[in-house]
PDB file of all heavy atoms in Angstrom:
ATOM      1  N   SER A  90      -0.751  -1.278   2.085  1.00 98.00           N
ATOM      2  CA  SER A  90      -2.032  -0.822   1.538  1.00 98.00           C
ATOM      3  C   SER A  90      -2.378   0.609   1.927  1.00 98.00           C
ATOM      4  O   SER A  90      -3.205   1.238   1.266  1.00 98.00           O
ATOM      5  CB  SER A  90      -3.159  -1.777   1.944  1.00 98.00           C
ATOM      6  OG  SER A  90      -3.041  -2.994   1.230  1.00 98.00           O
ATOM      7  N   TRP A  91      -1.750   1.149   2.959  1.00 96.00           N
ATOM      8  CA  TRP A  91      -1.960   2.563   3.279  1.00 96.00           C
ATOM      9  C   TRP A  91      -1.406   3.441   2.153  1.00 96.00           C
ATOM     10  O   TRP A  91      -1.841   4.570   1.976  1.00 96.00           O
ATOM     11  CB  TRP A  91      -1.303   2.932   4.610  1.00 96.00           C
ATOM     12  CG  TRP A  91      -1.989   2.305   5.771  1.00 96.00           C
ATOM     13  CD1 TRP A  91      -1.547   1.236   6.507  1.00 96.00           C
ATOM     14  CD2 TRP A  91      -3.255   2.664   6.322  1.00 96.00           C
ATOM     15  NE1 TRP A  91      -2.469   0.924   7.472  1.00 96.00           N
ATOM     16  CE2 TRP A  91      -3.530   1.793   7.390  1.00 96.00           C
ATOM     17  CE3 TRP A  91      -4.192   3.655   6.011  1.00 96.00           C
ATOM     18  CZ2 TRP A  91      -4.693   1.869   8.151  1.00 96.00           C
ATOM     19  CZ3 TRP A  91      -5.351   3.735   6.778  1.00 96.00           C
ATOM     20  CH2 TRP A  91      -5.592   2.851   7.826  1.00 96.00           C
ATOM     21  N   ASP A  92      -0.479   2.898   1.372  1.00 96.00           N
ATOM     22  CA  ASP A  92       0.128   3.646   0.264  1.00 96.00           C
ATOM     23  C   ASP A  92      -0.521   3.326  -1.078  1.00 96.00           C
ATOM     24  O   ASP A  92      -0.690   4.211  -1.904  1.00 96.00           O
ATOM     25  CB  ASP A  92       1.629   3.328   0.171  1.00 96.00           C
ATOM     26  CG  ASP A  92       2.353   3.652   1.461  1.00 96.00           C
ATOM     27  OD1 ASP A  92       2.302   4.820   1.881  1.00 96.00           O
ATOM     28  OD2 ASP A  92       2.945   2.729   2.053  1.00 96.00           O
ATOM     29  N   PHE A  93      -0.876   2.055  -1.320  1.00 96.00           N
ATOM     30  CA  PHE A  93      -1.357   1.664  -2.655  1.00 96.00           C
ATOM     31  C   PHE A  93      -2.723   1.004  -2.660  1.00 96.00           C
ATOM     32  O   PHE A  93      -3.197   0.591  -3.702  1.00 96.00           O
ATOM     33  CB  PHE A  93      -0.346   0.775  -3.383  1.00 96.00           C
ATOM     34  CG  PHE A  93       0.265  -0.310  -2.531  1.00 96.00           C
ATOM     35  CD1 PHE A  93      -0.466  -1.408  -2.113  1.00 96.00           C
ATOM     36  CD2 PHE A  93       1.591  -0.223  -2.168  1.00 96.00           C
ATOM     37  CE1 PHE A  93       0.114  -2.399  -1.345  1.00 96.00           C
ATOM     38  CE2 PHE A  93       2.184  -1.214  -1.408  1.00 96.00           C
ATOM     39  CZ  PHE A  93       1.434  -2.304  -0.991  1.00 96.00           C
ATOM     40  N   GLY A  94      -3.392   0.900  -1.535  1.00 97.00           N
ATOM     41  CA  GLY A  94      -4.736   0.331  -1.492  1.00 97.00           C
ATOM     42  C   GLY A  94      -4.733  -1.193  -1.458  1.00 97.00           C
ATOM     43  O   GLY A  94      -3.708  -1.827  -1.258  1.00 97.00           O
ATOM     44  N   PRO A  95      -5.912  -1.792  -1.662  1.00 97.00           N
ATOM     45  CA  PRO A  95      -6.036  -3.249  -1.614  1.00 97.00           C
ATOM     46  C   PRO A  95      -5.202  -3.921  -2.705  1.00 97.00           C
ATOM     47  O   PRO A  95      -4.980  -3.355  -3.769  1.00 97.00           O
ATOM     48  CB  PRO A  95      -7.521  -3.504  -1.860  1.00 97.00           C
ATOM     49  CG  PRO A  95      -8.193  -2.200  -1.661  1.00 97.00           C
ATOM     50  CD  PRO A  95      -7.190  -1.138  -1.918  1.00 97.00           C
ATOM     51  N   VAL A  96      -4.756  -5.137  -2.419  1.00 97.00           N
ATOM     52  CA  VAL A  96      -3.900  -5.889  -3.336  1.00 97.00           C
ATOM     53  C   VAL A  96      -4.653  -7.129  -3.825  1.00 97.00           C
ATOM     54  O   VAL A  96      -5.081  -7.956  -3.028  1.00 97.00           O
ATOM     55  CB  VAL A  96      -2.589  -6.301  -2.635  1.00 97.00           C
ATOM     56  CG1 VAL A  96      -1.731  -7.159  -3.543  1.00 97.00           C
ATOM     57  CG2 VAL A  96      -1.839  -5.068  -2.163  1.00 97.00           C
ATOM     58  N   GLY A  97      -4.784  -7.223  -5.130  1.00 95.00           N
ATOM     59  CA  GLY A  97      -5.486  -8.365  -5.708  1.00 95.00           C
ATOM     60  C   GLY A  97      -4.613  -9.567  -5.966  1.00 95.00           C
ATOM     61  O   GLY A  97      -5.100 -10.678  -6.091  1.00 95.00           O
ATOM     62  N   ASP A  98      -3.297  -9.375  -6.025  1.00 95.00           N
ATOM     63  CA  ASP A  98      -2.393 -10.462  -6.396  1.00 95.00           C
ATOM     64  C   ASP A  98      -1.587 -10.946  -5.194  1.00 95.00           C
ATOM     65  O   ASP A  98      -0.420 -10.618  -5.036  1.00 95.00           O
ATOM     66  CB  ASP A  98      -1.468 -10.017  -7.526  1.00 95.00           C
ATOM     67  CG  ASP A  98      -0.754 -11.177  -8.196  1.00 95.00           C
ATOM     68  OD1 ASP A  98      -0.967 -12.339  -7.783  1.00 95.00           O
ATOM     69  OD2 ASP A  98       0.021 -10.920  -9.127  1.00 95.00           O
ATOM     70  N   VAL A  99      -2.251 -11.735  -4.326  1.00 97.00           N
ATOM     71  CA  VAL A  99      -1.565 -12.362  -3.199  1.00 97.00           C
ATOM     72  C   VAL A  99      -1.058 -13.718  -3.688  1.00 97.00           C
ATOM     73  O   VAL A  99      -1.835 -14.549  -4.136  1.00 97.00           O
ATOM     74  CB  VAL A  99      -2.486 -12.517  -1.976  1.00 97.00           C
ATOM     75  CG1 VAL A  99      -1.793 -13.280  -0.865  1.00 97.00           C
ATOM     76  CG2 VAL A  99      -2.938 -11.144  -1.486  1.00 97.00           C
ATOM     77  N   VAL A 100       0.247 -13.910  -3.608  1.00 98.00           N
ATOM     78  CA  VAL A 100       0.882 -15.110  -4.140  1.00 98.00           C
ATOM     79  C   VAL A 100       0.663 -16.307  -3.220  1.00 98.00           C
ATOM     80  O   VAL A 100       0.379 -17.413  -3.673  1.00 98.00           O
ATOM     81  CB  VAL A 100       2.393 -14.873  -4.356  1.00 98.00           C
ATOM     82  CG1 VAL A 100       3.095 -16.136  -4.798  1.00 98.00           C
ATOM     83  CG2 VAL A 100       2.605 -13.747  -5.349  1.00 98.00           C
ATOM     84  N   GLY A 101       0.807 -16.105  -1.915  1.00 98.00           N
ATOM     85  CA  GLY A 101       0.655 -17.214  -0.994  1.00 98.00           C
ATOM     86  C   GLY A 101       0.805 -16.796   0.452  1.00 98.00           C
ATOM     87  O   GLY A 101       1.039 -15.630   0.757  1.00 98.00           O
ATOM     88  N   ARG A 102       0.670 -17.790   1.329  1.00 98.00           N
ATOM     89  CA  ARG A 102       0.737 -17.576   2.777  1.00 98.00           C
ATOM     90  C   ARG A 102       2.054 -18.117   3.310  1.00 98.00           C
ATOM     91  O   ARG A 102       2.497 -19.206   2.933  1.00 98.00           O
ATOM     92  CB  ARG A 102      -0.426 -18.289   3.455  1.00 98.00           C
ATOM     93  CG  ARG A 102      -0.412 -18.213   4.960  1.00 98.00           C
ATOM     94  CD  ARG A 102      -1.666 -18.811   5.592  1.00 98.00           C
ATOM     95  NE  ARG A 102      -2.104 -20.046   4.996  1.00 98.00           N
ATOM     96  CZ  ARG A 102      -1.735 -21.269   5.410  1.00 98.00           C
ATOM     97  NH1 ARG A 102      -0.887 -21.404   6.403  1.00 98.00           N
ATOM     98  NH2 ARG A 102      -2.220 -22.344   4.815  1.00 98.00           N
ATOM     99  N   VAL A 103       2.682 -17.362   4.196  1.00 98.00           N
ATOM    100  CA  VAL A 103       3.916 -17.819   4.844  1.00 98.00           C
ATOM    101  C   VAL A 103       3.543 -18.921   5.829  1.00 98.00           C
ATOM    102  O   VAL A 103       2.670 -18.740   6.678  1.00 98.00           O
ATOM    103  CB  VAL A 103       4.630 -16.658   5.565  1.00 98.00           C
ATOM    104  CG1 VAL A 103       5.803 -17.171   6.385  1.00 98.00           C
ATOM    105  CG2 VAL A 103       5.079 -15.603   4.560  1.00 98.00           C
ATOM    106  N   VAL A 104       4.202 -20.068   5.683  1.00 98.00           N
ATOM    107  CA  VAL A 104       3.915 -21.193   6.573  1.00 98.00           C
ATOM    108  C   VAL A 104       5.047 -21.461   7.559  1.00 98.00           C
ATOM    109  O   VAL A 104       4.831 -22.127   8.567  1.00 98.00           O
ATOM    110  CB  VAL A 104       3.577 -22.484   5.790  1.00 98.00           C
ATOM    111  CG1 VAL A 104       2.280 -22.297   5.014  1.00 98.00           C
ATOM    112  CG2 VAL A 104       4.693 -22.901   4.863  1.00 98.00           C
ATOM    113  N   LEU A 105       6.252 -20.927   7.267  1.00 96.00           N
ATOM    114  CA  LEU A 105       7.393 -21.234   8.122  1.00 96.00           C
ATOM    115  C   LEU A 105       8.529 -20.248   7.899  1.00 96.00           C
ATOM    116  O   LEU A 105       8.824 -19.893   6.767  1.00 96.00           O
ATOM    117  CB  LEU A 105       7.896 -22.647   7.785  1.00 96.00           C
ATOM    118  CG  LEU A 105       9.124 -23.177   8.494  1.00 96.00           C
ATOM    119  CD1 LEU A 105       8.811 -23.439   9.966  1.00 96.00           C
ATOM    120  CD2 LEU A 105       9.588 -24.463   7.824  1.00 96.00           C
ATOM    121  N   ARG A 106       9.125 -19.790   9.003  1.00 96.00           N
ATOM    122  CA  ARG A 106      10.398 -19.080   8.927  1.00 96.00           C
ATOM    123  C   ARG A 106      11.435 -20.138   9.249  1.00 96.00           C
ATOM    124  O   ARG A 106      11.486 -20.655  10.348  1.00 96.00           O
ATOM    125  CB  ARG A 106      10.474 -17.941   9.940  1.00 96.00           C
ATOM    126  CG  ARG A 106      11.812 -17.178   9.847  1.00 96.00           C
ATOM    127  CD  ARG A 106      12.014 -16.208  10.990  1.00 96.00           C
ATOM    128  NE  ARG A 106      11.975 -16.844  12.287  1.00 96.00           N
ATOM    129  CZ  ARG A 106      13.007 -17.490  12.851  1.00 96.00           C
ATOM    130  NH1 ARG A 106      14.156 -17.583  12.242  1.00 96.00           N
ATOM    131  NH2 ARG A 106      12.870 -18.044  14.027  1.00 96.00           N
ATOM    132  N   TYR A 107      12.259 -20.494   8.274  1.00 94.00           N
ATOM    133  CA  TYR A 107      13.182 -21.608   8.491  1.00 94.00           C
ATOM    134  C   TYR A 107      14.634 -21.189   8.677  1.00 94.00           C
ATOM    135  O   TYR A 107      15.461 -22.016   9.053  1.00 94.00           O
ATOM    136  CB  TYR A 107      13.059 -22.643   7.367  1.00 94.00           C
ATOM    137  CG  TYR A 107      13.547 -22.208   6.018  1.00 94.00           C
ATOM    138  CD1 TYR A 107      14.875 -22.391   5.644  1.00 94.00           C
ATOM    139  CD2 TYR A 107      12.680 -21.608   5.106  1.00 94.00           C
ATOM    140  CE1 TYR A 107      15.316 -21.999   4.401  1.00 94.00           C
ATOM    141  CE2 TYR A 107      13.116 -21.221   3.857  1.00 94.00           C
ATOM    142  CZ  TYR A 107      14.439 -21.420   3.512  1.00 94.00           C
ATOM    143  OH  TYR A 107      14.872 -21.027   2.284  1.00 94.00           O
ATOM    144  N   TRP A 108      14.956 -19.938   8.415  1.00 93.00           N
ATOM    145  CA  TRP A 108      16.322 -19.493   8.624  1.00 93.00           C
ATOM    146  C   TRP A 108      16.333 -18.069   9.114  1.00 93.00           C
ATOM    147  O   TRP A 108      15.586 -17.270   8.563  1.00 93.00           O
ATOM    148  CB  TRP A 108      17.134 -19.593   7.314  1.00 93.00           C
ATOM    149  CG  TRP A 108      18.590 -19.374   7.552  1.00 93.00           C
ATOM    150  CD1 TRP A 108      19.279 -18.211   7.399  1.00 93.00           C
ATOM    151  CD2 TRP A 108      19.513 -20.329   8.025  1.00 93.00           C
ATOM    152  NE1 TRP A 108      20.581 -18.389   7.743  1.00 93.00           N
ATOM    153  CE2 TRP A 108      20.758 -19.692   8.134  1.00 93.00           C
ATOM    154  CE3 TRP A 108      19.417 -21.686   8.382  1.00 93.00           C
ATOM    155  CZ2 TRP A 108      21.886 -20.340   8.585  1.00 93.00           C
ATOM    156  CZ3 TRP A 108      20.547 -22.323   8.817  1.00 93.00           C
ATOM    157  CH2 TRP A 108      21.770 -21.651   8.909  1.00 93.00           C
ATOM    158  N   PRO A 109      17.104 -17.739  10.111  1.00 92.00           N
ATOM    159  CA  PRO A 109      18.001 -18.613  10.837  1.00 92.00           C
ATOM    160  C   PRO A 109      17.241 -19.561  11.746  1.00 92.00           C
ATOM    161  O   PRO A 109      16.117 -19.250  12.165  1.00 92.00           O
ATOM    162  CB  PRO A 109      18.875 -17.657  11.637  1.00 92.00           C
ATOM    163  CG  PRO A 109      18.043 -16.423  11.797  1.00 92.00           C
ATOM    164  CD  PRO A 109      17.174 -16.362  10.578  1.00 92.00           C
ATOM    165  N   PRO A 110      17.829 -20.734  12.065  1.00 86.00           N
ATOM    166  CA  PRO A 110      17.106 -21.731  12.839  1.00 86.00           C
ATOM    167  C   PRO A 110      16.742 -21.257  14.241  1.00 86.00           C
ATOM    168  O   PRO A 110      15.702 -21.607  14.755  1.00 86.00           O
ATOM    169  CB  PRO A 110      18.050 -22.930  12.885  1.00 86.00           C
ATOM    170  CG  PRO A 110      19.363 -22.444  12.418  1.00 86.00           C
ATOM    171  CD  PRO A 110      19.144 -21.189  11.633  1.00 86.00           C
ATOM    172  N   ARG A 111      17.605 -20.468  14.842  1.00 76.00           N
ATOM    173  CA  ARG A 111      17.318 -19.907  16.164  1.00 76.00           C
ATOM    174  C   ARG A 111      17.747 -18.454  16.177  1.00 76.00           C
ATOM    175  O   ARG A 111      18.777 -18.104  15.600  1.00 76.00           O
ATOM    176  CB  ARG A 111      18.070 -20.638  17.263  1.00 76.00           C
ATOM    177  CG  ARG A 111      17.472 -21.977  17.584  1.00 76.00           C
ATOM    178  CD  ARG A 111      18.197 -22.549  18.729  1.00 76.00           C
ATOM    179  NE  ARG A 111      19.408 -23.184  18.212  1.00 76.00           N
ATOM    180  CZ  ARG A 111      20.104 -24.072  18.853  1.00 76.00           C
ATOM    181  NH1 ARG A 111      19.767 -24.424  20.052  1.00 76.00           N
ATOM    182  NH2 ARG A 111      21.178 -24.607  18.289  1.00 76.00           N
ATOM    183  N   ARG A 112      16.969 -17.652  16.834  1.00 67.00           N
ATOM    184  CA  ARG A 112      17.334 -16.239  16.991  1.00 67.00           C
ATOM    185  C   ARG A 112      17.884 -16.024  18.371  1.00 67.00           C
ATOM    186  O   ARG A 112      17.381 -16.573  19.334  1.00 67.00           O
ATOM    187  CB  ARG A 112      16.090 -15.359  16.830  1.00 67.00           C
ATOM    188  CG  ARG A 112      15.756 -15.085  15.434  1.00 67.00           C
ATOM    189  CD  ARG A 112      14.934 -13.790  15.412  1.00 67.00           C
ATOM    190  NE  ARG A 112      14.397 -13.661  14.091  1.00 67.00           N
ATOM    191  CZ  ARG A 112      13.109 -13.613  13.813  1.00 67.00           C
ATOM    192  NH1 ARG A 112      12.227 -13.636  14.773  1.00 67.00           N
ATOM    193  NH2 ARG A 112      12.714 -13.514  12.578  1.00 67.00           N
ATOM    194  N   ARG A 113      18.875 -15.173  18.439  1.00 58.00           N
ATOM    195  CA  ARG A 113      19.390 -14.778  19.743  1.00 58.00           C
ATOM    196  C   ARG A 113      18.491 -13.689  20.315  1.00 58.00           C
ATOM    197  O   ARG A 113      17.982 -12.856  19.584  1.00 58.00           O
ATOM    198  CB  ARG A 113      20.800 -14.222  19.619  1.00 58.00           C
ATOM    199  CG  ARG A 113      21.783 -15.249  19.177  1.00 58.00           C
ATOM    200  CD  ARG A 113      23.140 -14.627  19.136  1.00 58.00           C
ATOM    201  NE  ARG A 113      24.067 -15.580  18.534  1.00 58.00           N
ATOM    202  CZ  ARG A 113      25.213 -15.267  18.011  1.00 58.00           C
ATOM    203  NH1 ARG A 113      25.599 -14.015  17.995  1.00 58.00           N
ATOM    204  NH2 ARG A 113      25.985 -16.186  17.506  1.00 58.00           N
ATOM    205  N   ALA A 114      18.341 -13.700  21.622  1.00 51.00           N
ATOM    206  CA  ALA A 114      17.592 -12.624  22.276  1.00 51.00           C
ATOM    207  C   ALA A 114      18.379 -11.328  22.135  1.00 51.00           C
ATOM    208  O   ALA A 114      19.594 -11.315  22.288  1.00 51.00           O
ATOM    209  CB  ALA A 114      17.368 -12.965  23.742  1.00 51.00           C
TER     210      ALA A 114
END
Side-chain angles (χ1 to χ4, degrees):
S90 288
W91 291 105
D92 302 302
F93 44 71
V96 176
D98 195 0
V99 175
V100 176
R102 176 174 43 91
V103 172
V104 295
L105 177 70
R106 181 190 58 82
Y107 69 89
W108 190 263
R111 284 185 277 199
R112 277 204 191 120
R113 294 182 187 160

